[in-house]
Amino acid sequence: MTNTATDDPKTLVSTAWLAAHLKDPDLRVIDASWYLPAMERDAAAEYAADHIPGARYFDIDDISDHRSELPHMAPPVEKFMSRMRAMGVGDGHQVVVYDGSGLFSAARVWWLFRLMGKTDVAVLDGGLPKWKAEGHPTSDMAPVIRDRHMTVTRQNQMIKDVTQVARAAKLGDYTIIDVRPAERFRGEGTEPRAGLRSGHIPNSQNVFYQNLLNADGTMKDATGIKSALKSAGVDLTKPVITTCGSGVTAAILSLALERIGKTDHAVYDGSWSEWGMYADLPIATGDA
């Protein structure tokens, strides 16, 4: 197993760490599984059948801003608070988020907690596949929910809208990193969402999110993360904006940046679902 994670309850914890803390009274485990339509997987059904004992299911599409036509945009503060309270997640809890892919959508929910000012939250390195492969227990039982108050302070610096990203692309005062596959970044691949143009935000760089992960779905160590960024020519002296198809995998890079001590990063929430939709926004193709 290539897992060199140093356990950090604010970013990333190992399966061994979770196994040791699973019965802690103030631990809350969240299943944040989410899949692209092409994956043909039903996250809610999989959770109901098999999850880490005590885990709550976080529906990324449902716990979002339904006032927006864009997919799973960050929810309003009030909605996030009420949904977490209903899930029995609140102040004083250590949260561990996992998904059924290994490390895919869990980082998005980690980032949402951070956006809401909650820092005692970590992603489970390797997710449910690693947990099960090591023989740790799973359950089909619904968790016992006890109401818990949650205080939220939204961290506006952690999120960017289309106007802010367009300005950053023009001025060059941020490093914009797109984590989609290289062929989509270059404008050679078809976008999974119909009606979107192909290409990338001008002056952005490409680091495919899987380049930040090991073969077993765990996150690379700090040396590996820095190497992946360096080989892509990424400038880390500027603050970073992460972007992807719809704001989910961009958070994997946000987590990786946090792991190497780079804290001035923000997610472009609309990502290519928004940028690729509007004909009046400039696009670039190729590697530059």
Side-chain angles (χ1 to χ4, degrees):
M1 282 287 180
T2 22
N3 183 10
T4 53
T6 305
D7 292 320
D8 174 13
K10 295 183 185 299
T11 56
L12 196 70
V13 295
S14 64
T15 47
W17 186 97
L18 181 59
H21 291 273
L22 195 57
K23 290 185 167 37
D24 289 4
D26 281 330
L27 181 81
R28 291 294 178 270
V29 182
I30 289 177
D31 184 322
S33 300
W34 175 89
Y35 304 107
L36 292 162
M39 294 175 175
E40 297 182 338
R41 292 178 67 175
D42 185 332
E46 289 185 22
Y47 163 79
D50 199 28
H51 54 258
I52 293 176
R56 285 94 163 123
Y57 176 61
F58 189 112
D59 187 332
I60 286 175
D61 287 321
D62 179 55
I63 306 174
S64 65
D65 188 353
H66 288 183
R67 301 167 301 182
S68 172
E69 294 178 359
L70 295 166
H72 43 252
M73 295 287 277
V77 165
E78 299 75 17
K79 184 173 186 178
F80 184 84
M81 286 169 60
S82 67
R83 292 301 176 87
M84 291 306 99
R85 187 167 188 165
M87 287 166 61
V89 178
D91 294 343
H93 283 150
Q94 169 65 49
V95 176
V96 175
V97 193
Y98 74 88
D99 63 56
S101 292
L103 209 168
F104 182 64
S105 53
R108 169 72 185 190
V109 174
W110 168 83
W111 172 79
L112 277 175
F113 272 88
R114 297 294 291 258
L115 176 66
M116 300 297 173
K118 313 307 285 185
T119 57
D120 293 328
V121 55
V123 169
L124 179 63
D125 201 21
L128 188 61
K130 189 169 190 291
W131 178 265
K132 290 170 73 171
E134 293 171 354
H136 297 296
T138 58
S139 172
D140 60 359
M141 297 277 291
V144 177
I145 302 295
R146 293 182 181 87
D147 197 289
R148 184 79 160 238
H149 178 71
M150 176 177 275
T151 311
V152 166
T153 309
R154 195 174 192 267
Q155 306 297 305
N156 291 320
Q157 77 279 5
M158 292 192 67
I159 190 167
K160 298 294 182 188
D161 63 24
V162 66
T163 306
Q164 292 169 312
V165 175
R167 184 178 183 275
K170 193 173 180 180
L171 295 181
D173 52 348
Y174 282 80
T175 296
I176 304 172
I177 308 174
D178 187 328
V179 305
R180 292 177 301 156
E183 62 272 14
R184 285 171 60 193
F185 178 84
R186 291 194 295 261
E188 296 165 0
T190 308
E191 285 299 311
R193 287 176 177 81
L196 298 183
R197 299 173 298 162
S198 295
H200 59 265
I201 299 166
N203 300 316
S204 61
Q205 294 171 288
N206 184 219
V207 178
F208 184 31
Y209 76 87
Q210 288 190 357
N211 293 344
L212 303 168
L213 306 177
N214 296 307
D216 65 352
T218 56
M219 183 164 275
K220 288 182 177 178
D221 62 13
T223 303
I225 292 166
K226 289 174 182 174
S227 175
L229 297 174
K230 186 178 181 181
S231 65
V234 167
D235 179 4
L236 290 180
T237 64
K238 301 175 187 176
V240 172
I241 295 172
T242 66
T243 182
C244 60
S246 65
V248 173
T249 54
I252 298 172
L253 175 56
S254 302
L255 177 63
L257 290 170
E258 200 74 22
R259 291 287 288 172
I260 62 170
K262 176 73 175 167
T263 57
D264 50 347
H265 52 82
V267 168
Y268 170 26
D269 203 19
S271 282
W272 198 254
S273 293
E274 182 174 38
W275 194 281
M277 185 170 55
Y278 293 112
D280 56 339
L281 289 171
I283 60 169
T285 54
D287 290 316

